[in-house]
Amino acid sequence: GAGVSQSPSNKVTEKGKDVELRCDPISGHTALYWYRQSLGQGLEFLIYFQGNSAPDKSGLPSDRFSAERTGGSVSTLTIQRTQQEDSAVYLCASSPRRTQETQYFGPGTRLLVL
Amino acid sequence: AQSVSQHNHHVILSEAASLELGCNYSYGGTVNLFWYVQYPGQHLQLLLKYFSGDPLVKGIKGFEAEFIKSKFSFNLRKPSVQWSDTAEYFCAVNPGAGSYQLTFGKGTKLSVIP
């Protein structure tokens, strides 16, 4: 079956511009996660959605970052007024249950802020 | 806050050599433990996981890992590596019991020389 998909695969933007990154989770998965993979930093948790519950935003690094999940499916991560330190690979994952099920990762969006 | 340490940044081995990648975590309670692998140009994918039961878990492609609770460790092993095992390996943990986000180590890059 189809896995997690993300778009765009690559994004180059200028400092100060806003960007939107999209994630399509595996059909039927109720939980969706965003992570960021920076050089030398490993993967950092950003935000988590579970069904219609309020998202856990505890990992978002600043108020320039926000995310939405529409209809319990597709999610969009928005970064406003991008900075060079936002350059990273942004990974989306989904899982069929909130806790112990394995997270299935998408290919990521590579963001470069010039 | 919980953290995950991977001892080696880059490991270089010849084919048929044995592999052990270290992973230690800091969390005193129940944990779920994972090893993920990222082959060049591919998604993160699950290699193996430990939730409970036998502390020696077997994963795909001949990999195994041993959970040693007293040492807070979950080391990954393979008796004989192949060139196709060249990849980056990530150890991850979540506290279980209702937790959801994964905390990752910074990864270990494995290069296998033919």
Side-chain angles (χ1 to χ4, degrees), chain B residues 13-16 39-40 78 80-87 89 110-114:
Chain B
L13 294 173
S14 298
E15 276 193 315
Y39 297 102
K78 185 171 183 179
S80 175
V81 294
Q82 300 173 317
W83 175 79
S84 58
D85 294 324
T86 295
Y89 294 81
L110 172 66
S111 299
V112 180
I113 302 169

Side-chain angles (χ1 to χ4, degrees), chain A residues 35 45 56 98 100 102-103, chain B residues 36 49 51 98 100-102:
Chain A
Y35 293 87
F45 166 76
D56 177 351
R98 182 180 134 162
Q100 293 193 8
T102 305
Q103 294 180 27
Chain B
Y36 280 85
K49 61 187 177 185
F51 290 167
Y100 38 83
Q101 67 189 67
L102 289 170

Side-chain angles (χ1 to χ4, degrees), chain B residues 62-81:
Chain B
F63 286 90
E64 65 179 30
E66 184 174 13
F67 169 52
I68 303 179
K69 188 174 181 179
S70 61
K71 295 185 177 180
F72 298 90
S73 72
F74 190 55
N75 291 355
L76 181 71
R77 300 195 291 247
K78 185 171 183 179
S80 175
V81 294

Side-chain angles (χ1 to χ4, degrees), chain B residues 1-21:
Chain B
Q2 57 189 333
S3 65
V4 178
S5 298
Q6 292 184 240
H7 312 303
N8 307 101
H9 177 64
H10 192 186
V11 172
I12 302 172
L13 294 173
S14 298
E15 276 193 315
S18 64
L19 170 72
E20 182 159 1
L21 301 183

Side-chain angles (χ1 to χ4, degrees), chain A residues 14-71:
Chain A
E14 294 177 348
K15 179 181 169 181
K17 301 280 189 184
D18 297 352
V19 295
E20 285 190 350
L21 312 179
R22 178 188 167 106
C23 172
D24 282 88
I26 293 172
S27 177
H29 282 195
T30 56
L32 186 148
Y33 313 80
W34 282 98
Y35 293 87
R36 177 169 72 173
Q37 186 175 20
S38 306
L39 269 178
Q41 296 298 315
L43 287 96
E44 307 167 82
F45 166 76
L46 296 177
I47 188 169
Y48 156 78
F49 295 89
Q50 166 63 356
N52 296 320
S53 303
D56 177 351
K57 305 178 182 181
S58 60
L60 294 178
S62 79
D63 59 7
R64 297 186 294 104
F65 288 72
S66 62
E68 290 185 336
R69 188 177 184 193
T70 54

